[in-house]
Amino acid sequence: MNAPTSIVGQPLPRLEARAKVSGRAEYVHNMRVPNMLHAKVFRSTLAHGRIRSIDVGAARAMPGVFAVYTGEDIRKLIAEPYYGPAFHDQPILAIDKVRYVGEPVAVVLAADVHVADNAAALITAQYDELAAVYGEVEAMNSRAVVHEVLKPAGTFADLKYLKDKRDTNIALDFHLRRGDVKKAFAGADHVFEHTFTTQQVLHLPLESFATIAEPGDGSLLLHSSTQSPSFVRTEIARLFGWPDNKVRVKVPYLGGGFGAKVYVKSEALAAACAMLARRPVKYALTLEEQFYMITKHATTLRIKSGVMKDGKITARECEVWWNGGAYADIGPRVTQKSGFTAPGPYDIDHVHIDSYALYTHLPPAGALRGFGIPQLVWAYESHTDMIARELKIDPLAIRRKNILREGRPQATGTPMKDAALELVLERLATRMQWDKGFDKGTGTVKRGRGIAIGFKASISPTTSMAIVNISADGSCALYSSTVDMGQGSDTAMAQMVAEVTGIPIEKITVVHPDTDVTPYDMATLGSRSTFHMGHAVKNAAEDARDKLYALARDVGLSGETTLIPDIFRKKYGMLAGNIVGVGSFIPGYTPPNADGQTDNATPFWMIGATGAEVEVDTETGEFKVTRLVNLVDVGKPINPAIMETQISGATVMQLGFTLQEQMHFTNGQVTNASLADYKIPGIRDIPPMENEAVDAEQRSGPFGAKGVGESGTFGVSPAIANAIDDAVGVRLTSLPLTAEAVFRGLAKKAGRELL
Amino acid sequence: MNTTRTITFTLNGAPVTTTVGLHQHLVEVLHAQGLTGAREACAQGLCGCCTVLVNGIAVSGCLYLAVFADKADVKTIEYSPEGKLDAVQESFIECGAFQCGYCTPGFVLMVRQLLDEQLDPSDDDIKHYLAGNLCRCATYPEVVKAVKLAAKKRKVAA
Ligand code: FES
Ligand code: FES
């Protein structure tokens, strides 16, 4: 066997690169199986209503239609057809009530997808309209209630207190108390309070949600575009009352995920249809239908700080209202697990956080690249600059003064460890040449610059398992349920196996998630895979290597120096057998007490900062981002090339959410559900960008690495808003940032009234 | 009313005769032929994921009715007469110009067409030409690099 190479840290191309550039990579949306039916859904046109009747007669009569089902048909198959990761609140098809425009009400199956589509358009429904609530703050005390009774999933001990709660839209309230905020406010030289909002947006992976469900004999095979195969298996099995092993979930590549495809999405309906029809069923959504599946929380954030003359922040109070839409999805976890970072990466002794997950009559909101963090950073980093401006302190100086230093406790009381906040801030300052003069522009074109820094805790505690299988010929397979949705996990994990075993990467394959074959993994989300699955993979590879060496010793050879085939040949007399190494990982974690305090809130911290330069036209309010500098702490990167693509990809996505993307609604109906009316960034929308991972190490991480998929999003929105303020003295507090908003701000400053 | 037609076309160099619905677009028909490199995302002619070459010209397969492909020469990303990657594909790999890869076939076909028209496109030319190709993973900076590398490779080969 060869000595370990140094393959971790190399910018290798993706393992599947050839398949992707030649159009041969497999995605569920493009798959078909023999004898398959297509499912097309009829959706609610009302935000809130009691279902009086559903008329499926015309649809059923259409030639070529195999079947039409409603919630009542599903209920005959599954007594309690409600699913969800935190709450069992979402019906497979609406039952009794509809709770948002776009909610699936009935489904048509046909062998021809166009027949299914046309038949679905013939379905009608009668409702008794009920009052609806759309705003997250309004939902706190609204008479319109989305769910009569809360139904937390039994699996979460910390949600038990919500069971059977009635007549509230608050799905979860999270509170953190540290120090004595009241006293600190009283003793502060200044108190600042600002309110910010963010808009509802969505993921829009170019491959929409898709599941093909093949029924067996009391079992199901699902091919699905999911980021969480293990969860899907357990949840679908629970719905049918089966053991886990009756459901098999297979995942090829994903055409993007970004948090959209976690937990159950298209799977439950496909599975139910397949069991009712006893035929394979494909439920593939159009891009337009993504607007009705899952979105990112709109939020309102109030933040109040006590500050001393010199800029030292002594107290902070945060209130965050998350607009979760009609079904909780993972929103309650966003409220908690991101909520505790709401005061920002600053050393503040007295902190008070209230964070509320709210039900409203809008399409559900879940996790989107950052798990709530970009909304929080938007508020606290805008707030930081507003304070600095009032106190006439430089924006960099106020951050330097307050930044959380290594070893200091964060709001939860957990000390910061391997969190290169200071270094990221300093590198950003250097790259922006912050201490040099800055050309503020002339005439009607003014220039400005801004910075922002944010951080995120990895969701804890979560588990990953992996298997490394070495064949007698010296080739090797890694079995892992991590889903490669474009982030390059297959390649990074294979690099780790190669590093540990010394087997060349060309001889390593990564077996894609297949719950009958690949072991459990919590999910591919929240930038957790490099760290958690990385550890499991490293452990499995080490186990395999140790077993191989032991086998070699058994037959009087040295594992270090003998070629792998020779070891097997000597043992089995021919090229036969294999070595199986297993690995698992769960990080340490201490659950927070009633005040949200814990000494171990997270296994690692992600850090991201952005510097922006802008040009603003003072006559029209139009502005252009002329430079973006992105700094992150990713520990030691496993694959620097893929890592950089992740940083810039995340930044551009957040740039879309900052400048152009917004779901528009009329009476709960989204009115811009297409790429024609909802513009995502194209190649001409990309400003000059620089990305840098600071020289850091996550000592507790595999090979010093940690997650990177979201860090590029953190600072983008506030950095740009701060730069606009720097240029023209207009402060925007709502996303997206538009020319109109700047124009209105300029007019207001000039004392002009606008309609 | 007869709502189907039998069409004959050349698909990646081989003749194909098939019956299609009048309403069916080219991507659907290609998928039925087992070719999924052209794929539907927006279905509105806005993203380029469904790009197909009809008589040598890139079209949006999601909008192009299959009946119009009758007697045409149709080429998809899978077309590879020599069985190896071309300069554009190699450059995409070397520059890491994709993540999930869903949009990649469309980009590759458009970049080939661009380089057929312009030997040495500037950044602006590239961005203008690829304005109709969307990538949600946002690997745009890498795509621009890959186009430039491919132009260089083609020059060396010529
Ligand atoms: S799917 Fe044809 S252009 Fe988007
Ligand atoms: S690589 Fe994912 S959409 Fe372009």
Side-chain angles (χ1 to χ4, degrees):
Chain A
M1 191 140 171
N2 311 321
T5 54
S6 197
I7 191 157
V8 157
Q10 300 290 327
L12 301 182
R14 289 159 198 273
L15 300 185
E16 74 286 4
R18 293 179 70 89
K20 283 187 174 168
V21 296
S22 46
R24 294 174 203 278
E26 195 173 47
Y27 307 90
V28 178
H29 213 275
N30 304 323
M31 277 173 61
R32 53 179 70 205
V33 302
N35 203 26
M36 178 174 96
L37 297 167
H38 291 273
K40 282 287 167 187
V41 160
F42 164 74
R43 296 175 183 277
S44 167
T45 50
L46 210 58
H48 193 198
R50 196 166 292 287
I51 301 171
R52 228 181 318 137
S53 62
I54 306 168
D55 184 355
V56 301
R60 215 165 252 160
M62 183 182 272
V65 167
F66 179 88
V68 184
Y69 304 126
T70 66
E72 292 308 321
D73 298 299
I74 307 275
R75 193 137 64 172
K76 281 175 217 148
L77 179 73
I78 302 167
E80 278 289 316
Y82 297 90
Y83 62 90
F87 288 75
H88 293 157
D89 58 359
Q90 189 156 7
I92 296 174
L93 289 173
I95 290 175
D96 304 332
K97 270 177 131 186
V98 289
R99 295 187 177 84
Y100 69 97
V101 178
E103 176 164 12
V105 172
V107 62
V108 178
L109 302 185
D112 182 328
V113 66
H114 301 289
V115 170
D117 215 6
N118 290 342
L122 295 181
I123 298 174
T124 57
Q126 304 293 322
Y127 308 100
D128 292 323
E129 188 165 359
L130 299 167
V133 57
Y134 303 118
E136 60 274 8
V137 177
E138 201 192 332
M140 288 285 291
N141 298 304
S142 146
R143 302 258 306 266
V145 171
V146 182
H147 295 274
E148 287 89 352
V149 188
L150 299 187
K151 297 198 278 186
T155 35
F156 293 114
D158 60 331
L159 298 184
K160 282 219 175 86
Y161 78 100
L162 294 165
K163 197 168 161 8
D164 297 332
K165 252 196 165 175
R166 298 193 71 88
D167 298 324
T168 176
N169 289 319
I170 305 174
L172 182 121
D173 51 321
F174 168 77
H175 310 283
L176 182 147
R177 304 284 181 260
R178 184 171 179 79
D180 188 341
V181 176
K182 240 196 200 140
K183 218 162 110 195
F185 277 136
D189 293 333
H190 306 273
V191 174
F192 298 94
E193 182 174 340
H194 304 114
T195 299
F196 303 89
T197 61
T198 70
Q199 80 285 29
Q200 194 170 7
V201 295
L202 81 165
H203 316 67
L204 284 179
L206 291 185
E207 183 207 15
S208 278
F209 303 89
T211 301
I212 297 175
E214 299 189 58
D217 187 10
S219 65
L220 271 164
L221 166 58
L222 305 178
H223 307 271
S224 198
S225 66
T226 178
Q227 296 175 229
S228 52
S230 301
F231 180 88
V232 167
R233 167 164 83 157
T234 304
E235 187 72 345
I236 298 297
R238 180 187 67 78
L239 284 169
F240 285 99
W242 296 342
D244 280 5
N245 66 351
K246 293 294 179 190
V247 179
R248 179 178 186 185
V249 182
K250 292 181 74 172
V251 189
Y253 290 105
L254 258 57
F258 316 114
K261 298 170 178 173
V262 287
Y263 307 109
V264 165
K265 290 295 175 297
S266 44
E267 294 85 3
L269 182 59
C273 287
M275 291 309 287
L276 286 169
R278 306 298 315 158
R279 290 259 300 262
V281 170
K282 179 173 182 177
Y283 177 37
L285 278 75
T286 63
L287 187 133
E288 178 186 336
E289 287 179 293
Q290 288 193 39
F291 287 77
Y292 304 117
M293 182 62 98
I294 193 74
T295 67
K296 173 171 169 170
H297 291 83
T299 50
T300 299
L301 313 101
R302 188 183 65 82
I303 177 163
K304 178 175 167 187
S305 298
V307 188
M308 304 312 283
K309 275 196 199 74
D310 63 355
K312 175 73 191 143
I313 304 167
T314 51
R316 181 161 282 185
E317 198 177 84
C318 310
E319 244 180 319
V320 191
W321 297 272
W322 306 85
N323 194 325
Y327 297 105
D329 198 79
I330 200 62
R333 282 285 179 245
V334 173
T335 303
Q336 272 174 317
K337 301 272 179 179
S338 290
F340 72 70
T341 68
Y346 298 114
D347 199 337
I348 308 172
D349 286 336
H350 306 281
V351 178
H352 186 135
I353 305 170
D354 294 312
S355 179
Y356 301 97
L358 290 146
Y359 282 118
T360 62
H361 292 102
L362 290 175
L368 198 172
R369 212 165 193 171
F371 212 67
I373 296 297
Q375 291 102 315
L376 298 170
V377 187
W378 157 243
Y380 63 67
E381 281 301 77
S382 296
H383 181 67
T384 306
D385 261 43
M386 291 163 86
I387 295 172
R389 195 161 292 272
E390 281 290 323
L391 299 182
K392 302 201 166 33
I393 301 176
D394 176 75
L396 175 64
I398 197 169
R399 289 181 172 85
R400 275 185 178 148
K401 182 163 212 76
N402 291 289
I403 198 97
L404 257 175
R405 289 171 207 282
E406 189 77 3
R408 290 289 301 159
Q410 187 265 345
T412 53
T414 297
M416 299 304 289
K417 225 187 341 191
D418 289 343
L421 280 161
E422 271 185 277
L423 181 57
V424 164
L425 186 63
E426 292 308 323
R427 283 297 305 151
L428 180 63
T430 305
R431 289 194 78 135
M432 297 287 290
Q433 298 190 292
W434 198 263
D435 54 350
K436 297 257 165 59
F438 181 73
D439 169 14
K440 300 289 295 266
T442 49
T444 57
V445 178
K446 296 282 191 263
R447 303 182 73 245
R449 58 180 178 168
I451 52 172
I453 181 166
F455 73 146
K456 175 177 189 275
S458 174
I459 314 301
S460 200
T462 65
T463 301
S464 290
M465 316 282 242
I467 297 172
V468 167
N469 181 354
I470 302 177
S471 295
D473 69 345
S475 64
C476 174
L478 167 65
Y479 297 70
S480 135
S481 292
T482 292
V483 174
D484 200 325
M485 49 189 170
Q487 84 282 34
S489 52
D490 281 8
T491 312
M493 299 301 167
Q495 282 178 267
M496 294 193 211
V497 174
E499 183 77 33
V500 172
T501 60
I503 295 172
I505 193 152
E506 305 75 40
K507 289 194 175 180
I508 298 171
T509 53
V510 179
V511 177
H512 269 198
D514 173 347
T515 56
D516 268 11
V517 177
T518 56
Y520 174 88
D521 178 46
M522 182 264 181
T524 306
L525 57 77
S527 305
R528 64 176 291 282
S529 302
T530 301
F531 187 90
H532 295 80
M533 185 56 81
H535 268 301
V537 165
K538 182 167 177 274
N539 290 341
E542 285 169 355
D543 186 40
R545 182 197 58 200
D546 294 348
K547 284 174 176 161
L548 183 72
Y549 287 5
L551 182 75
R553 267 197 310 278
D554 266 3
V555 293
L557 295 171
S558 151
E560 280 89 342
T561 55
T562 316
L563 291 173
I564 294 174
D566 294 340
I567 301 172
F568 281 92
R569 219 178 264 122
K570 182 127 189 230
K571 169 80 184 177
Y572 299 110
M574 57 191 288
L575 274 190
N578 46 5
I579 289 282
V580 177
V582 295
S584 71
F585 181 74
I586 182 163
Y589 174 68
T590 315
N593 66 17
D595 285 337
Q597 298 297 298
T598 163
D599 61 353
N600 187 4
T602 177
F604 64 93
W605 299 96
M606 291 160 255
I607 293 155
T610 292
E613 293 179 4
V614 300
E615 269 175 27
V616 187
D617 184 326
T618 54
E619 289 184 308
T620 63
E622 263 175 296
F623 61 93
K624 197 162 88 191
V625 178
T626 53
R627 185 180 180 210
L628 279 183
V629 181
N630 306 307
L631 268 293
V632 294
D633 168 13
V634 300
K636 279 190 185 312
I638 303 291
N639 184 318
I642 296 178
M643 175 212 66
E644 185 170 356
T645 314
Q646 279 283 297
I647 299 172
S648 69
T651 301
V652 171
M653 197 163 203
Q654 188 64 29
L655 192 66
F657 300 150
T658 304
L659 302 181
Q660 53 192 102
E661 298 181 40
Q662 176 164 29
M663 292 172 71
H664 292 285
F665 292 93
T666 304
N667 296 330
Q669 164 74 61
V670 57
T671 54
N672 60 336
S674 88
L675 282 186
D677 303 312
Y678 181 103
K679 289 289 184 193
I680 64 172
I683 197 164
R684 287 196 292 193
D685 298 319
I686 312 302
M689 266 194 310
E690 301 153 47
N691 310 303
E692 178 185 323
V694 299
D695 186 12
E697 180 178 2
Q698 180 67 36
R699 280 165 299 171
S700 61
F703 306 100
K706 61 181 158 193
V708 59
E710 302 158 304
S711 310
T713 64
F714 300 166
V716 179
S717 310
I720 295 172
N722 291 344
I724 291 171
D725 195 352
D726 184 47
V728 292
V730 168
R731 172 53 59 177
L732 303 183
T733 54
S734 294
L735 288 178
L737 310 175
T738 62
E740 182 184 333
V742 175
F743 183 71
R744 286 182 179 277
L746 287 165
K748 195 167 163 207
K749 256 184 63 171
R752 276 188 288 135
E753 281 285 327
L754 287 183
L755 286 178
Chain B
M1 194 175 73
N2 186 2
T3 57
T4 61
R5 286 263 200 302
T6 299
I7 61 169
T8 300
F9 60 102
T10 311
L11 178 55
N12 294 337
V16 173
T17 299
T18 183
T19 300
V20 301
L22 294 180
H23 60 283
Q24 283 192 297
H25 58 60
L26 197 47
V27 171
E28 246 190 293
V29 172
L30 292 171
H31 281 213
Q33 298 290 324
L35 300 178
T36 56
R39 42 192 72 129
E40 188 177 298
C42 72
Q44 285 183 297
L46 297 163
C47 74
C49 286
C50 58
T51 304
V52 178
L53 303 181
V54 177
N55 295 328
I57 294 174
V59 302
S60 290
C62 70
L63 297 180
Y64 198 94
L65 289 177
V67 282
F68 292 143
D70 193 23
K71 315 255 182 330
D73 176 60
V74 176
K75 287 202 176 70
T76 68
I77 187 70
E78 286 92 347
Y79 181 65
S80 172
E82 278 145 50
K84 54 178 208 257
L85 303 183
D86 79 330
V88 175
Q89 291 168 312
E90 280 173 8
S91 305
F92 267 62
I93 294 179
E94 282 166 46
C95 298
F98 51 90
Q99 298 205 46
C100 76
Y102 208 73
C103 66
T104 313
F107 270 98
V108 167
L109 291 173
M110 281 308 278
V111 171
R112 281 183 190 158
Q113 186 167 295
L114 164 63
L115 294 179
D116 289 347
E117 290 171 18
Q118 276 174 279
L119 285 182
D120 216 350
S122 67
D123 278 29
D124 258 7
D125 296 333
I126 295 168
K127 290 185 182 176
H128 181 74
Y129 208 88
L130 297 177
N133 288 78
L134 293 175
C135 174
R136 191 52 156 166
C137 303
T139 29
Y140 301 120
E142 294 84 352
V143 166
V144 174
K145 274 186 218 150
V147 177
K148 299 204 145 168
L149 179 62
K152 220 182 275 164
K153 281 185 192 246
R154 279 194 174 195
K155 246 189 253 162
V156 173

